[in-house]
Structures are given as C-alpha cells and as structure tokens.
C-alpha cells in the first residue's frame, strides 16, 4: 500500500507542477498582451508600434534575430530589424517570406538551411512567421529566428506570435483609420473655409444697398440652397433716369455654379455700365459665356432697363422664368417674350421689348427655385400660388411683399430640404 501511495503523491506533484507551469505561462502571456496593448494604445505612430512589438517579441521568445516588414502595397511603416543582417533578411524574403505572405498563414519552419537548400551561416535553424492582418487586409509579417543549439519554436510560441501579430495589425489599422479621419477632418475644414470665403465674396457681388428711386419701390433677395448659390440679382444705376434690373439663374449648384454666376454678374455689369440696350447686353453675355464655358454650363437671365422718366421698362429675356406684371387685382400679364438660354448657341439673338409702367404697377421677377419648391407630397409651390399670394398682398411695400413670398414658399416646403436657390426682385411704381 505504501508504494502505491507514494506513486500517487508523485503523480499529483507532477500534475501540480505542470499546472503551475501552465498557469505561469498563461500569466506571462496575459502580462505580455496587456503590456503590448497598453503600449500600442498610447500612440497611432505606425513605426513606434511595430518597433514596440518587435522588441517585445525578441524578449519573450528569446530570439536570436527578428524583423517586421510591410506587405507590398501596404507600406504604412518602414521595416524594423533586430540583430538580423540586411542581406539575410533580403535572402529569406526572396526565398521564403514573400511566399508565406501570399499564403496569409502563420507557421513555424525547422532546419531552414536544408529546407531552403542554402548554405549561409546566419540562416536560423528554426523560424517563426506570423502575419499582421485584420479583416480589412494584410499589413506585414513578424519574423523571428533561433540558431542551431537553441530550443525550437513550439506550437505555443506560434499561438502567442499570432496574438502579437494580431495586436500589431489592429494598431496599424487604427492608425490608418486615424490618419484617414484626420485627413478628412482637415479637408472638411479647408472646404468649410473655402465655402465661407466664397459665400462672403458672393455676398459682396450682390447689391449691398437697394437703390432709392423717387416714385418707385425696389426689393431683391436670394436664399441659396447650399453655402453658395447660382442665382443672381442686381440693380445697377446707369444714369440719373435709368436703372438696370437683372435676375439670372446658372445651371447646377454649389461652387461651380457660384463661379459661373460671378462671371455672368461681371459681364452684365460691364454691359450695363456701357449703357447697352437689353438685347445687346444679353447678346454680348451669351457670346462670352459660350466661349468661356462648356456646353453643360448655361444660364438663364432676365435683363431690363427701367426708365424712371419715361416710366418704361425695356427688357430682354434669355430663357428665364416669365416675370409677372400686376396691374391692379386679377390675373397678371406675363412678360413672355424672349430667346434661348445663355451659353448654348453662339449666334443667339435677343429682342428688346418695351413695357409701359403705370402708377400702382407691380413687377415680380423670380427664379424657378420659388415655383418649383415642393412639399412632402411632391406638390410644387407653382405660379398660381405665387399670383394668388401677390394679389392678396399687392398693396404691401415691396420689401415686405418679398419677405412674405419667401416665407410662404418655405412654409409650403415644410421640412423638405431646399433643392434650388430662391431669388426674387420686386419693382413697384408708386401711385
């Protein structure tokens, strides 16, 4: 009985020793994982992270040499080495590592000189290879070597190396995402600043002060759908008795439309200051746009010259929405004569039309962003609602009427996003 008891005690001691060793190994592994994780979390610097992982790997595996190299096409860091000659690293990549990278599989290799059929004094006898990869792709490889006479790498070593490589890959992925996020943030900051400057410049192109003309009321305003818009309105004093009125709508939205709008505004102002008649002004503007833009870019434009002595509006229209001419209550007349849009046909002609302006007359010029504004059911505001609204408030001052129209259009659209610039110009001859 006594020998049997001694045998059982010895077996219990062996199992206890084995369990203790396993627990110590597990503790060391957890301590390594914790230590590496804490180091990797402290920085998004890819070079520092791979250097940290290699230093830890060299120590924990007691390797004679080691390196971490990036995959071709994923050079987010420079290769790092530890006691590994450059020519040896190059040799092993050509003969072994590049192929293992293609397999995307971590593994241990033994008796490397015989395996590779090379005779090189620095070639390690046992070689541990682990891939740095995440679900999104491969980043590189962790390579460790031990020379002959050292213990060989085990399956447990391979398992731990996989964990280290995985941690390194996650850190590299997080660093890549962080850099991408920073670049996106910087790009958005630049775009925001560019749009702010563009909006400021565009605001300076619009009338800062509406001219005051005895016997008339004028009002104008625009609400861009984006930070900058493609609609344009202007009141341009030509001389003591003449005032140019312009409202244009450039194709597209955002910055390209704003740039073309600025070009159109400069062209119109130049023609107005030269005293050109409406048809001639649009003719010149059309030729300039035709030669300076592609066929996908065009603009509509209503241009008129108000003679406050003769009380007459002489106008020409290049494909713009037909302005409304209110003479008391009832259905207004539409100023529906005109030509094609600007910038499409080089030789387009535009005819002057003369319109008497009687006391109490009201002229409303608008862009299609007013009438096309739709509610959640897809019902546009439309011309009929605009006419009904103006008739109901026809006696209001021009600025108040303009704001009322914009408010009603926004109320009609409700929560629907504004999809087009909304621009209005109102001219009233007082009684």
């Amino acid at each position: 009985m006594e020998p049997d008891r001694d045998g059982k005690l010895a077996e219990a001691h062996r199992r206890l020793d084995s369990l203790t060793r396993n627990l110590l190994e597990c503790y060391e592994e957890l301590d390594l994982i914790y230590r590496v994780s804490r180091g990797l979390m402290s920085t998004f610097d890819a070079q520092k992270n791979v250097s940290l992982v290699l230093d830890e790997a060299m120590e924990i595996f007691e390797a004679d040499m080691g390196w971490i190299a990036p995959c071709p096409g994923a050079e987010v860091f420079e290769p790092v080495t530890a006691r590994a000659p450059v020519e040896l690293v190059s040799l092993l990549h050509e003969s072994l590592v590049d192929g293992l990278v293609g397999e995307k599989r971590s593994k241990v290799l033994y008796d490397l000189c015989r395996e590779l059929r090379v005779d090189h004094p620095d070639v390690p006898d046992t070689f541990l290879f682990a891939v740095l990869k995440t679900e999104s792709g491969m980043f590189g490889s962790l390579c460790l070597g031990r020379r002959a006479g050292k213990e060989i790498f085990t399956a447990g070593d391979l398992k731990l190396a996989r964990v280290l490589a995985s941690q390194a890959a996650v850190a590299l992925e997080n660093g890549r995402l962080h850099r991408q996020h920073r670049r996106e943030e910087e790009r958005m900051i630049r775009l925001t600043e560019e749009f702010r400057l563009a909006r400021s410049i565009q605001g300076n192109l619009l009338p800062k002060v509406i001219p005051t003309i005895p016997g008339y009321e004028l009002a104008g305003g625009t609400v861009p759908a984006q930070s900058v818009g493609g609609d344009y309105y202007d009141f341009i004093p030509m001389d003591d008795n003449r005032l140019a009125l312009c409202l244009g709508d450039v194709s597209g939205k955002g910055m390209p439309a704003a740039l073309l709008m600025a070009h159109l505004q400069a062209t119109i102002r130049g023609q107005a200051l030269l005293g050109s008649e409406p048809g001639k002004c649009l003719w010149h503007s059309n030729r300039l746009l035709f030669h300076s833009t592609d066929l996908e870019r065009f603009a509509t434009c209503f241009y008129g010259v108000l003679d406050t002595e003769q009380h007459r509006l002489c106008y020409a229209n290049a494909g713009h929405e037909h302005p409304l001419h209110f003479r008391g209550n009832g259905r207004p007349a539409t100023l529906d004569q005109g030509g094609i849009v600007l910038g499409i046909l080089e030789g387009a002609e535009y005819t002057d039309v003369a319109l008497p302006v009687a006391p109490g007359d009201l002229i409303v010029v608008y862009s299609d962003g007013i009438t096309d504004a739709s509610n959640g059911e897809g019902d546009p505001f439309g011309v009929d609602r605009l006419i009904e609204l103006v008739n109901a408030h026809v006696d209001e001052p021009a600025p108040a009427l303009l704001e009322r129209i914009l408010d009603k259009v926004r109320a009609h659209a409700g929560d629907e996003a504004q999809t087009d610039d909304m621009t209005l110009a109102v001219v009233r001859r007082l009684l």
Side-chain angles (χ1 to χ4, degrees), residues 110-383:
Y110 305 101
D111 197 3
L112 216 54
C113 284
R114 184 180 62 81
E115 180 76 20
L116 300 179
R117 297 179 182 177
V118 296
D119 184 15
H120 193 289
D122 291 322
V123 173
D125 184 62
T126 178
F127 188 73
L128 179 58
F129 170 84
V131 289
L132 278 62
K133 66 177 180 178
T134 65
E135 292 183 359
S136 64
M138 290 270 294
F139 287 90
S141 55
L142 167 64
C143 302
L144 299 168
R146 287 176 181 166
R147 292 190 174 91
K150 294 285 190 70
E151 290 186 9
I152 62 173
F153 290 119
T154 65
D157 293 330
L158 179 60
K159 180 181 177 182
L160 184 56
R162 285 194 185 115
V163 173
L164 277 177
S166 177
Q167 285 186 303
V170 170
L172 292 171
E173 173 76 2
N174 289 340
R176 183 185 68 80
L177 293 175
H178 175 71
R179 290 189 294 274
Q180 180 179 328
H181 180 67
R182 287 290 300 274
R183 286 194 297 269
E184 186 65 20
E185 278 188 336
E186 291 169 359
R187 187 182 74 87
M188 290 304 298
I189 290 172
R190 288 195 302 271
L191 283 176
T192 300
E193 179 62 15
E194 288 173 5
F195 274 113
R196 187 191 68 79
L197 291 173
R199 186 161 192 170
S200 175
I201 292 170
Q202 189 174 57
N204 291 331
L205 296 177
L206 299 173
K208 293 183 176 63
V209 178
I210 303 298
T212 301
I213 302 176
Y216 285 84
E217 285 183 343
L218 305 176
T222 184
V223 181
Q226 298 183 7
S227 296
V228 290
D231 279 9
Y232 153 65
Y233 79 94
D234 210 349
F235 297 106
I236 311 166
M238 300 173 68
D239 54 40
D240 291 341
N241 301 317
R242 292 189 303 161
L243 175 82
L245 160 66
C246 178
L247 198 149
D249 185 355
V250 170
S251 64
K253 300 178 184 66
M255 190 69 76
L259 293 173
L260 186 54
M261 184 277 277
H263 183 39
L264 175 62
Q265 188 259 11
T267 303
I268 293 289
R269 273 191 167 261
Q271 292 299 311
L273 295 176
L274 289 173
S276 299
E277 293 300 320
K280 185 62 70 174
C281 174
L282 293 185
W283 183 83
H284 280 291
S285 301
N286 176 66
R287 285 178 59 84
L288 287 170
L289 285 183
F290 180 84
H291 288 289
S292 60
T293 61
D294 55 51
L295 291 178
E296 296 178 354
R297 296 288 177 187
F298 60 89
T300 69
C301 185
F302 175 87
Y303 180 80
V305 175
L306 177 65
D307 188 324
T308 59
E309 186 176 55
Q310 300 294 324
H311 300 296
R312 182 184 67 177
L313 178 69
C314 183
Y315 73 87
N317 194 336
H320 195 73
E321 301 295 309
H322 298 152
L324 302 172
H325 182 201
F326 292 82
R327 293 181 180 273
N329 293 330
R331 189 80 183 180
T334 55
L335 309 187
D336 56 4
Q337 297 187 55
I340 68 170
V341 298
L342 303 175
I344 298 296
L345 183 63
E346 181 181 13
E349 299 284 345
Y350 301 92
T351 304
D352 290 339
V353 181
L355 175 74
V357 182
D361 281 7
L362 179 71
I363 298 170
V364 178
V365 190
Y366 60 93
S367 68
D368 58 3
I370 297 291
T371 50
D372 290 350
S374 299
N375 58 21
E377 287 72 43
D379 178 28
F381 188 76
V383 177

Side-chain angles (χ1 to χ4, degrees), residues 376-399:
E377 287 72 43
D379 178 28
F381 188 76
V383 177
D384 288 340
R385 282 193 178 92
L386 178 59
I387 292 172
E388 181 182 350
L389 176 61
V390 174
N391 274 330
H393 303 278
V394 72
D395 294 327
E396 289 187 0

Side-chain angles (χ1 to χ4, degrees), residues 1-15:
M1 294 294 296
E2 194 66 28
D4 185 53
R5 180 185 172 194
D6 290 342
K8 288 182 178 179
L9 285 173
E11 179 64 22
H13 281 300
R14 283 195 296 272
R15 290 183 179 181

